[in-house]
Amino acid sequence: MLNDKIKQLVETCIARISNIDEMSANDLQKIKSESLGKNSELQNMLKSMRDLSPEERPAFGQLVNEARKTLESAFAEAEAKMKEKVLNEKLQKETVDITLPYQSVSCEERGHLHPVNLVANEIMDIFKGLGFEVLEGPEIETDYYCFEALNIPKNHPARDAQDTFYIAEDIVLRTHTSPNQVRVMEKKQPPIKMLCPGKVYRSDDDASHSPMFHQIEGLVVDKNVTLCDLMGTLETFAQSLFNEQTKARFRPSFFPFTEPSVEVDLTCSNCGGKGCKLCKGTGWIEVLGAGMVNPKVLENCGIDSTKYTGYAFGMGLERIAMIKYGIPNIKLFFENDVRFLKQFR
Ligand code: PHE
């Protein structure tokens, strides 16, 4: 009698879970606890064992245990199937239809480059077109690379702690990108035609100076490089960056690492040279420092100055961006006020 009941119980249970496609994971769990849990009929039967005679008990116990094992393995199988079914349903639901049309992001939300990066990219593109390669160097420099190798004497104001950020006695935050000239020339023999963009640091702070700003420096070393090459290259560059009418003016100047040295003014891009507020009525704006690489610097780097000559130039990117976009204060670049940044979208 009891034996039949157990068999029937197992059969009904297996029939119920065979219908797995139509049920949810919760339904399956419910059937499991109804069939094998504390209040299941199988458990009740075990309890009723005490009504049997001692001789009948072992055989009955074995039967119930077999039934339980059968059910447990049936549930394990059903649960594995259920897991796969749930995963397939999830994959189906989350399929991305790559043929759907692109949902455009409004201009308001779209990100864009910072104005300093915009001018840096523009300047690099112009010089790359003239055959320059971009080589970057470290921002933390030794006294040797930042000053000594560039012929900057011990008593030069740039060496003073008031102008330069010292990290240790011989380690500084680079005050210009020129130390990378030295690093490149040490490793490479001419021809060299390079640009070095990057952050530089000076203890300086007002409407047109920031303790951190960006420079791009250029260096060309080869046989027969002359001041005329420098002048022609820089004027071509200025005309590409501003407009075809831009003219360059070269004034004698001094840098320890170039000889002769020049300061380069460009005709004001705002008034075309007539004189306006931006150029303080002069028609010219000072933009670059440049010159012929001092032979001492070439020799310091192991380049034969009787065979090779070179020119170098350097400019501040914020200054160029201020002129190009008419920005009155350098601080605007670093405050990250979105109302300012949005204008360069
Ligand atoms: N290194 C100079 C500066 O930071 C700029 C410069 C570079 C001048 C190359 C001449 C030649 O002021």
Side-chain angles (χ1 to χ4, degrees):
M1 225 313 254
L2 272 172
N3 293 6
D4 288 346
K5 206 172 164 195
I6 289 176
K7 260 195 206 150
Q8 206 199 339
L9 225 141
V10 171
E11 273 164 26
T12 336
C13 180
I14 289 179
R16 277 176 86 189
I17 60 179
S18 69
N19 196 14
I20 198 148
D21 287 340
E22 318 271 284
M23 62 174 95
S24 70
N26 275 346
D27 295 338
L28 184 64
Q29 277 314 308
K30 206 168 147 227
I31 301 176
K32 191 178 175 182
S33 81
E34 281 167 11
S35 315
L36 288 167
K38 264 192 200 147
N39 297 321
S40 62
E41 244 181 287
L42 208 63
Q43 284 296 330
N44 288 339
M45 282 184 173
L46 270 178
K47 282 179 206 151
S48 67
M49 232 162 75
R50 58 191 117 117
D51 303 332
L52 296 177
S53 66
E55 301 81 56
E56 283 172 313
R57 277 183 204 169
F60 180 74
Q62 199 183 355
L63 212 67
V64 176
N65 267 336
E66 269 165 25
R68 197 223 306 275
K69 272 192 198 143
T70 312
L71 287 186
E72 276 171 353
S73 74
F75 275 108
E77 203 178 305
E79 277 165 346
K81 274 194 201 148
M82 180 56 81
K83 218 171 149 186
E84 201 179 305
K85 186 185 131 187
V86 168
L87 180 69
N88 281 336
E89 282 170 357
K90 196 168 174 227
L91 287 175
Q92 201 102 45
K93 233 182 18 214
E94 292 176 4
T95 307
V96 175
D97 184 353
I98 55 163
T99 62
L100 280 177
Y102 162 66
Q103 209 176 4
S104 72
V105 179
S106 82
C107 269
E108 284 293 315
E109 297 158 57
R110 206 184 299 161
H112 58 88
L113 292 179
H114 188 278
V116 172
N117 278 332
L118 288 177
V119 286
N121 288 347
E122 204 176 331
I123 293 170
M124 286 192 285
D125 280 347
I126 295 169
F127 281 107
K128 279 186 210 160
L130 295 170
F132 285 70
E133 62 176 328
V134 176
L135 300 170
E136 292 179 62
E139 288 170 34
I140 297 174
E141 266 298 2
T142 60
D143 177 279
Y144 177 77
Y145 283 106
C146 202
F147 303 127
E148 196 75 42
L150 287 161
N151 196 38
I152 299 176
K154 284 268 184 250
N155 58 358
H156 193 281
R159 294 264 189 134
D160 199 293
Q162 275 193 334
D163 296 270
T164 298
F165 295 110
Y166 278 82
I167 288 178
E169 205 182 318
D170 273 332
I171 315 275
V172 298
L173 292 182
R174 66 176 176 192
T175 57
H176 50 178
T177 41
S178 309
N180 203 40
Q181 282 186 19
V182 181
R183 287 183 178 275
V184 171
M185 285 192 287
E186 273 182 351
K187 282 193 217 102
K188 203 171 148 159
Q189 281 297 306
I192 294 169
K193 214 169 176 190
M194 63 166 279
L195 272 191
C196 175
K199 291 188 177 73
V200 299
Y201 303 84
R202 289 182 197 178
S203 187
D204 224 351
D205 203 6
D206 61 36
S208 53
H209 296 90
S210 155
M212 185 284 296
F213 64 103
H214 299 78
Q215 278 191 337
I216 282 197
E217 166 140 338
L219 172 73
V220 174
V221 185
D222 204 349
K223 286 183 179 140
N224 305 319
V225 175
T226 68
L227 189 64
C228 285
D229 295 321
L230 167 67
M231 294 164 92
T233 303
L234 290 183
E235 196 163 70
T236 305
F237 156 69
Q239 287 166 354
S240 305
L241 186 65
F242 294 104
N243 57 58
E244 296 246 329
Q245 284 70 47
T246 306
K247 290 207 165 32
R249 178 172 81 174
F250 298 83
R251 281 181 292 112
S253 185
F254 176 78
F255 298 105
F257 34 90
T258 47
E259 184 62 37
S261 303
V262 290
E263 211 80 63
V264 187
D265 302 334
L266 302 179
T267 41
C268 177
S269 59
N270 190 42
C271 63
K274 288 191 202 79
C276 67
K277 224 172 115 191
L278 185 69
C279 58
K280 298 192 185 92
T282 64
W284 295 94
I285 295 184
E286 186 191 315
V287 173
L288 289 116
M292 299 306 290
V293 182
N294 191 320
K296 281 193 208 158
V297 175
L298 294 177
E299 295 295 337
N300 285 346
C301 303
I303 291 177
D304 186 348
S305 65
T306 61
K307 258 177 55 200
Y308 297 106
T309 51
Y311 67 76
F313 56 86
M315 64 191 115
L317 288 180
E318 283 79 3
R319 179 154 175 77
I320 303 269
M322 284 166 88
I323 298 165
K324 203 171 156 75
Y325 302 123
I327 297 164
N329 192 318
I330 196 168
K331 299 291 178 300
L332 288 163
F333 290 117
F334 310 118
E335 284 166 351
N336 285 333
D337 184 331
V338 283
R339 290 169 302 180
F340 169 74
L341 295 174
K342 264 183 184 173
Q343 299 174 61
F344 302 92
R345 198 181 289 124

